[in-house]
Amino acid sequence: MTRVIALWCPDWPVVAAGADPRTPAIVVSNGRVTACTAAARKVGVRRGQKLRDAQRRCAGLEVHVDDLDAQARLFEQVIAVVEALCPRVEVIRPGLLAVPARGPARYYRSEQAAAGTLREAVEAEGFECAAGVADGSFAAALAARVLPVGIVVPPGETARFLAPHPVSVLDRPELTGVLVRLGIRTLGDLAALPAPDVLARFGADGALAHRLARGLQARPPATRPPGEDLAAAMSFDPPLDAEPVVFAAQGQAAQAHANVGSR
């Protein structure tokens, strides 16, 4: 089982939208709330609510459109901070990343010290951050959400940590809707079911959810290669007139733009 450190930046969509966390604000996609500030939660706004229901709870609610590109661009700043300290990083989504814990834990002498170092580095850049450590990325991400700054789940204790969580944390609405209707409300309830029965009744997606509920990882972190070179360069033999240089520079600029876009 791979030990994983997860770093979570709360409410990232509203952070990327530039909303003040002290102001009731939401991010909306397809007419539903996908993220909200702490101030909005205080007045009863929640993820998944319809826009009109959220506005009914808070008349002066600030509304932003969900912009995944903006969220990804801003999160590159967080990724750069983490990669400077720990080069193997998997971006699960903007606002949440994971790194294999083994190397950092050895370097910083413990998992807790490694997680704390990474969290403090992100916070030093002005972003709120929490860190969790557990067996697998799924459990580590949930461990990062334990207030105030995340926890370290000891090796072998992941299933016990996961058991009381509602099945909704699996983020599979159709599957979890069926599970709840069948009386399977927590990950512990799901984990207690025989694996062959889960596969027969719910298929491959259900089997994957069952593995996660039992504290087994779906796969190791899929880290991206460190130190990607996004530059575009061309050398010339002097002397050279300005016009060919400008023409070549235009081509290199287009190549650099394509490199950044593919990243």
Side-chain angles (χ1 to χ4, degrees):
M1 177 63 71
T2 303
R3 297 285 288 172
V4 174
I5 301 172
L7 294 178
W8 172 56
C9 296
D11 308 326
W12 189 255
V14 286
V15 171
D20 188 332
R22 298 166 296 181
T23 301
I26 59 174
V27 169
V28 176
S29 176
N30 296 323
R32 289 189 178 273
V33 177
T34 58
C36 57
T37 59
R41 286 192 291 273
K42 286 183 178 179
V43 294
V45 177
R46 295 290 183 269
R47 287 182 56 199
Q49 281 181 340
K50 293 181 179 179
L51 173 59
R52 62 175 179 270
D53 293 335
Q55 290 176 320
R56 192 176 297 120
R57 291 181 178 273
C58 182
L61 195 61
E62 187 178 304
V63 180
H64 299 271
V65 176
D66 198 12
D67 187 344
L68 290 176
D69 288 340
Q71 295 166 31
R73 286 195 300 271
L74 184 61
F75 200 54
E76 282 290 338
Q77 297 182 33
V78 176
I79 298 167
V81 171
V82 177
E83 284 184 330
L85 300 172
C86 179
R88 307 300 298 184
V89 177
E90 176 188 9
V91 181
I92 298 174
R93 63 174 182 273
L96 178 64
L97 61 80
V99 298
R102 183 178 180 182
R106 285 182 172 180
Y107 185 81
Y108 295 106
R109 299 183 181 275
S110 72
E111 292 177 341
Q112 186 167 0
T117 298
L118 295 175
R119 175 177 57 79
E120 290 168 3
V122 173
E123 290 178 338
E125 293 298 311
F127 300 109
E128 185 180 354
C129 183
V133 186
D135 298 333
S137 300
F138 173 70
L142 291 179
R145 292 175 176 265
V146 178
L147 297 176
V149 292
I151 62 170
V152 175
V153 179
E157 294 292 319
T158 296
R160 184 179 300 178
F161 163 72
L162 292 173
H165 285 80
V167 291
S168 59
V169 299
L170 292 166
D171 201 22
R172 290 168 164 78
E174 291 186 9
L175 174 63
T176 55
V178 174
L179 292 174
V180 169
R181 289 194 294 273
L182 293 174
I184 304 167
R185 301 183 179 278
T186 68
L187 295 182
D189 294 337
L190 178 58
L193 299 176
D197 292 349
V198 173
L199 177 61
R201 175 64 177 82
F202 301 108
D205 195 44
L208 174 58
H210 186 249
R211 284 184 57 83
L212 295 177
R214 293 161 56 203
L216 304 176
Q217 64 187 27
R219 54 168 177 76
T223 58
R224 74 184 196 181
E228 295 178 71
D229 186 3
L230 303 181
M234 179 178 289
S235 60
F236 302 95
D237 293 328
L240 198 65
D241 294 333
E243 185 174 348
V245 173
V246 171
F247 180 78
Q250 290 175 335
Q252 294 303 295
Q255 181 60 53
H257 184 271
N259 291 345
V260 174
S262 66
R263 167 73 169 267

